[in-house]
Amino acid sequence: MAERAFVRTEILPEESPPISEVGIWGWMRVHLFSGPVNGTLTVVTALALGVGAVFLASWILVPTWQADSLSACREILREIRPGHASGACWGVIRDRGIQLLFGFYPPELYWRPILALGLLALALAPVLFWEYMPSRLLWGSALYPFVMPWLLWGGSTWLPLGALAGFVIGASAYRVVSRASGSLFGLIAGALAALLWWGLLMTPVAAALAGLADIGLEPVRSRNFGGFMLSLTIGVVAIGFSLPVGIVLALGRQSDLILVKSLCIGFIEFIRGVPLITLLFVASTLLNIFMPPGTDFDIILRVMIMATLFASAYMAEVMRGGLAALPRGQYEGAASLGLDYWQAQRLVIMPQALKISIPGIVNRFIALFKDTTLVSIIGLLDPLGLTVSIRANQEWNGIVWELYGFIALLFFTVCFGMSKYSMYLERKLRTDHQ
Amino acid sequence: MKWTMALAAGLAVTATSGIAGKLDEVRERGELKCGVSTGVVGFSAPDANGVWQGFDVGMCRAVAAATLGDPMAVEFVPVTSKTRFTALESGEIDMLSRTTTWTYSRDSDLNVEFVGVNFYDGQGFIVKKALGVGSALELDGATICIKTGTTSELNLSDYFRSNGMSYDPVPVETDSEAHQQFLANACDSFSTDGSKLAAFRATTETPSDYILLPEVISKEPLGPAVLHGDQHWGDIVRWTFNALVAAEELGITADNVAEMAQGSDNPEVRRLLGTEGNLGEMNDLSATWAVDAISAGGNYGELFANTIGENSQIGIERNLNAQWKDGGLQYAPPFR
């Protein structure tokens, strides 16, 4: 009897893969329990994380928001947790949170820094998301540097308008003269005209206009600036100015003109060779000794200038990296198209160099923003400086973690936002083939 | 747009003052610039509304009241221990009132003039009661938290060496770090100025668990200072402080100063409060300068009690800071 082998005549229907290979179980088997060692590690880590999370939650989730002193917090905690009275004291944030945000800025004028921040977002939008916005809006953004100080410090409306007029005068002088006798003379004439206006004419003209129509905001003194607002102000100004100054320095460093080149190298290397703290001390103490007695050179302005100089030197080096990464052919290609220096920079070199430098630039921005907390060492009351002042009150003496946690959250929000935007930008600008 | 103005002012070389005295400068400005610490419990700190409070702050307000007639006409400039003397020297502040120890080298070598001692402090030790120690001489072999780079560090080493004892230092950077370390049992004792130890003890969860050892191992006379060279301004600050001390001795308080100024039988009270003689005029001040200064925050004793003494949470005893009649060192020269 011939044995007949079994021959299947129809194709079996597709089976779903075994449960141990797909879905949550499969994922866990592959990623968490792929062997005895990894399995043990997973369990141990999960336990540690769980214990940590429970501990943290029991510290954070306590009803101490209404407490008006550390001892009141301890009363509340003792009531709900007899025996071990550990927990956060959030009353300090209720009592002093606003102060950590605004410093001693007059409460009835809080709308001004808030409006300045809102306008900053509006002004940044055409820059950050340029492909969705008409480029005409960039002119609006250019006005922001004049609006922000006016909103924050107040004073006569004519001063920011006068400062703006200086740029208009300079630009018109450049146009007229460069048409007549070349762009170099135009540049010089424009700069001279603007400086003449700012140095000699602006103040009397602004005063005269103020005499005619005295419109302005109530002035707020720098001494009242503090908290996170101070950090943001210094950070935004230094970031905003350091990028253009850094680009100019980086280009100057590559220049063929020996004077420009050595000036730029000297500046960059000097600033990079000195710690920021030293520059801040120079700003806070040394500058005042050189000034004639009685002059009041605003402390925050001094700090902003120093922070900007410091950041510019680093920015110049970041940009130099981007410029160095461009092949020589790009420069030659631009030249062969008949573009002059500035056209070549604007249309060919900078777009590529900036794209390469994005991670480095944003890195510097984030570092700079966090560096602003160093101003507490020269007695400015930024959030870190304010923690000392708050602890020096009898009600809150002894509070540490709640204050630092709150400040960390503020800084994290801003820095994480910057970091996320830079990643978005890198993805968007990626033109190579993947 | 204040900063362009500030820039213009900074760039334009305007050598105006220098000849006129500090008093005229302050009067012209309408405000006293007073350097205070960024925050020392009881001595100076801004409250929730941004108004500065404390013992050192009270001194600034008294001087502002004496010179300008308004105790609130003060711009408080927070200075750190690193920037305080340069701030004084550069004219950024008119006077320094910031728990600063009067020492020989600071008075002679730096361009600073101390006008008096408003708080006699001294370095001490805090320990946990459970340690069972009653005297600093029993601390042989102990671990001690100490701030690096301070005079306290040097005093501590001197004290242990001269008593033939050894200790194990735990270096810390700030007061709050020292508190955390001490509470976490990283050190048996923490050593710094007695006023700070008292303030720290008051903030612990159960103050009775901690004791301050009786030994005081250093002299820390704290006082306000002005820039060397303007003796007239120095006189004003010195005698404003003396007026507060004398007021306590003579029984003049913030509450009864107006009444006493109306009429008192005591000739020294009459001279001090300007009812008789011309003491204010001698210093280019108004006749009621002392009345204004005392109304600002009370006499020395009231200011002490309300900020760091019995009426505050810190509760520092008067001890050396009591009036000379009560066995302390506060002694105002006669107003004559």
Side-chain angles (χ1 to χ4, degrees):
Chain A
M1 203 164 127
E3 285 286 324
R4 196 173 244 259
F6 171 76
V7 175
R8 195 185 283 280
T9 52
E10 78 281 10
I11 294 176
L12 276 176
E14 272 183 32
E15 292 259 3
S16 54
I19 191 119
S20 65
E21 292 297 327
V22 291
I24 180 83
W25 297 110
W27 183 87
M28 276 170 60
R29 208 175 69 85
V30 174
H31 290 100
L32 298 179
F33 301 99
S34 62
V37 176
N38 285 350
T40 324
L41 279 178
T42 301
V43 172
V44 169
T45 316
L47 275 178
L49 282 178
V51 169
V54 167
F55 176 78
L56 205 61
S58 80
W59 185 78
I60 291 175
L61 301 174
V62 284
T64 50
W65 184 253
Q66 288 303 330
D68 54 7
S69 72
L70 181 58
S71 37
C73 275
R74 285 176 177 151
E75 288 287 312
I76 297 174
L77 289 171
R78 235 176 257 137
E79 239 167 63
I80 59 164
R81 290 180 186 158
H84 63 110
S86 78
C89 183
W90 296 119
V92 70
I93 305 298
R94 177 190 54 81
D95 192 33
R96 295 305 183 93
I98 295 286
Q99 199 172 60
L100 280 172
L101 288 177
F102 291 101
F104 307 141
Y105 209 83
E108 68 277 11
L109 302 179
Y110 280 163
W111 62 271
R112 274 160 50 178
I114 293 172
L115 180 64
L117 190 64
L119 286 180
L120 175 67
L122 275 185
L124 279 180
V127 182
L128 298 184
F129 305 101
W130 72 93
E131 48 183 31
Y132 310 113
M133 306 253 181
S135 59
R136 203 170 284 246
L137 283 179
L138 280 173
W139 288 105
S141 305
L143 289 179
Y144 186 73
F146 302 94
V147 176
M148 185 196 82
W150 178 62
L151 271 179
L152 292 183
W153 275 271
S156 167
T157 318
W158 298 112
L159 277 171
L161 287 179
L164 183 61
F167 284 100
V168 177
I169 290 171
S172 352
Y174 170 74
R175 284 220 165 161
V176 173
V177 178
S178 64
R179 224 169 265 163
S181 49
S183 73
L184 182 63
F185 284 104
L187 212 60
I188 295 172
L192 274 181
L195 285 178
L196 197 69
W197 165 258
W198 285 324
L200 293 176
L201 295 171
M202 186 180 94
T203 323
V205 170
L209 283 171
L212 287 177
D214 191 14
I215 45 175
L217 292 170
E218 188 185 327
V220 178
R221 298 171 4 159
S222 288
R223 195 58 67 191
N224 292 332
F225 281 48
F228 197 58
M229 184 195 127
L230 178 66
S231 301
L232 268 182
T233 312
I234 298 175
V236 165
V237 169
I239 285 173
F241 283 101
S242 68
L243 187 61
V245 176
I247 290 176
V248 169
L249 282 173
L251 291 177
R253 194 172 184 158
Q254 293 200 325
S255 168
D256 298 328
L257 302 170
I258 187 76
L259 187 67
V260 172
K261 184 175 175 148
S262 39
L263 273 179
C264 289
I265 292 182
F267 176 84
I268 292 171
E269 294 304 331
F270 173 73
I271 297 278
R272 284 209 309 160
V274 178
L276 179 56
I277 277 286
T278 315
L279 292 177
L280 289 178
F281 273 122
V282 167
S284 86
T285 59
L286 214 56
L287 274 184
N288 250 3
I289 291 177
F290 292 142
M291 295 281 173
T295 47
D296 184 21
F297 190 9
D298 196 289
I299 175 78
I300 294 184
L301 179 62
R302 280 182 268 159
V303 166
M304 280 178 180
I305 292 175
M306 285 302 179
T308 307
L309 293 182
F310 184 77
S312 309
Y314 279 90
M315 202 55 73
E317 286 302 281
V318 172
M319 283 309 302
R320 189 167 70 96
L323 290 171
L326 281 192
R328 186 93 204 127
Q330 295 293 329
Y331 294 86
E332 289 164 356
S336 72
L337 286 173
L339 302 178
D340 72 13
Y341 180 77
W342 293 109
Q343 284 172 328
Q345 291 298 341
R346 190 163 58 85
L347 298 170
V348 180
I349 309 300
M350 272 305 144
Q352 302 183 69
L354 277 172
K355 194 189 87 179
I356 299 171
S357 318
I358 287 170
I361 292 176
V362 177
N363 205 17
R364 278 314 308 167
F365 283 173
I366 291 176
L368 173 65
F369 184 59
K370 290 188 293 187
D371 281 349
T372 58
T373 52
L374 288 176
V375 299
S376 62
I377 292 179
I378 57 167
L380 287 183
L381 294 175
D382 82 316
L384 286 190
L386 272 174
T387 59
V388 178
S389 305
I390 292 172
R391 259 201 303 276
N393 281 272
Q394 293 177 20
E395 311 91 75
W396 303 120
N397 189 1
I399 286 207
V400 181
W401 301 108
E402 295 82 347
L403 291 171
Y404 285 138
F406 182 69
I407 294 165
L409 197 67
L410 291 177
F411 274 92
F412 178 79
T413 315
V414 174
C415 294
F416 188 66
M418 285 201 264
S419 163
K420 275 287 158 202
Y421 175 75
S422 97
M423 288 177 192
Y424 156 81
L425 202 58
E426 276 172 57
R427 271 197 309 278
K428 194 169 73 173
L429 294 180
R430 179 177 288 172
T431 48
D432 51 350
H433 304 287
Q434 293 278 318
Chain B
M1 188 141 166
K2 186 165 178 225
W3 63 334
T4 45
M5 282 194 286
L7 183 61
L11 294 177
V13 180
T14 47
T16 46
S17 55
I19 310 144
K22 198 54 128 179
L23 179 62
D24 295 327
E25 202 185 312
V26 171
R27 284 227 173 102
E28 200 180 319
R29 199 191 301 132
E31 219 172 30
L32 174 78
K33 288 195 192 175
C34 197
V36 293
S37 63
T38 49
V40 172
V41 187
F43 286 87
S44 74
D47 66 12
N49 302 318
V51 182
W52 289 79
Q53 312 280 1
F55 186 68
D56 283 343
V57 167
M59 190 62 215
C60 301
R61 295 213 189 277
V63 173
T67 52
L68 301 166
D70 177 8
M72 300 311 277
V74 190
E75 180 182 350
F76 289 100
V77 180
V79 289
T80 64
S81 56
K82 296 180 182 74
T83 62
R84 53 185 165 185
F85 295 120
T86 28
L88 197 58
E89 197 144 349
S90 65
E92 201 177 335
I93 55 179
D94 303 321
M95 62 177 281
L96 178 70
S97 180
R98 187 200 180 278
T99 55
T100 303
T101 309
W102 185 357
T103 67
Y104 177 90
S105 56
R106 280 176 181 172
D107 209 343
S108 333
D109 205 19
L110 293 175
N111 215 356
V112 171
E113 185 175 320
F114 287 87
V115 298
V117 178
N118 63 355
F119 190 81
Y120 289 95
D121 211 339
Q123 189 176 342
F125 295 91
I126 189 171
V127 292
K128 294 203 170 73
K129 210 172 227 171
L131 194 65
V133 168
S135 154
L137 293 168
E138 297 169 35
L139 284 175
D140 196 7
T143 49
I144 296 179
C145 281
I146 186 79
K147 278 200 282 176
T148 51
T150 58
T151 46
S152 318
E153 195 180 14
L154 307 174
N155 294 334
L156 183 70
S157 126
D158 285 354
Y159 179 76
F160 272 77
R161 203 173 46 199
S162 59
N163 285 299
M165 305 190 296
S166 68
Y167 70 102
D168 203 359
V170 178
V172 293
E173 203 52 49
T174 61
D175 279 325
S176 43
E177 189 188 345
H179 301 164
Q180 297 289 323
Q181 297 279 16
F182 177 70
L183 292 176
N185 285 324
C187 46
D188 299 325
S189 173
F190 167 43
S191 180
T192 187
D193 290 355
S195 60
K196 286 186 183 162
L197 291 180
F200 164 54
R201 179 173 177 267
T203 65
T204 54
E205 219 170 323
T206 41
S208 54
D209 284 355
Y210 306 91
I211 49 172
L212 299 186
L213 298 180
E215 282 82 2
V216 174
I217 64 167
S218 75
K219 289 188 284 189
E220 307 281 346
L222 311 180
V226 295
L227 187 62
H228 190 84
D230 190 343
Q231 258 62 17
H232 183 210
W233 176 247
D235 288 346
I236 291 171
V237 180
R238 175 178 305 111
W239 284 94
T240 306
F241 168 61
N242 285 339
L244 298 186
V245 176
E248 186 186 15
E249 188 183 339
L250 297 168
I252 310 172
T253 65
D255 290 333
N256 71 9
V257 63
E259 189 188 323
M260 300 271 267
Q262 291 302 318
S264 164
D265 299 335
N266 186 334
E268 186 158 18
V269 172
R270 293 172 66 86
R271 280 195 299 273
L272 176 63
L273 300 183
T275 341
E276 190 180 298
N278 59 347
L279 290 187
E281 201 184 306
M282 292 178 194
N283 255 337
D284 280 342
L285 297 174
S286 68
T288 57
W289 67 281
V291 178
D292 295 335
I294 297 163
S295 320
N299 63 38
Y300 179 81
E302 290 177 278
L303 186 59
F304 192 102
N306 293 333
T307 53
I308 49 181
E310 60 203 27
N311 296 347
S312 74
Q313 203 186 19
I314 308 169
I316 298 175
E317 302 274 330
R318 285 292 286 270
N319 295 336
L320 285 179
N321 294 297
Q323 289 283 335
W324 62 284
K325 283 180 175 169
D326 306 331
L329 293 175
Q330 291 298 350
Y331 178 103
F335 278 81
R336 183 171 286 285

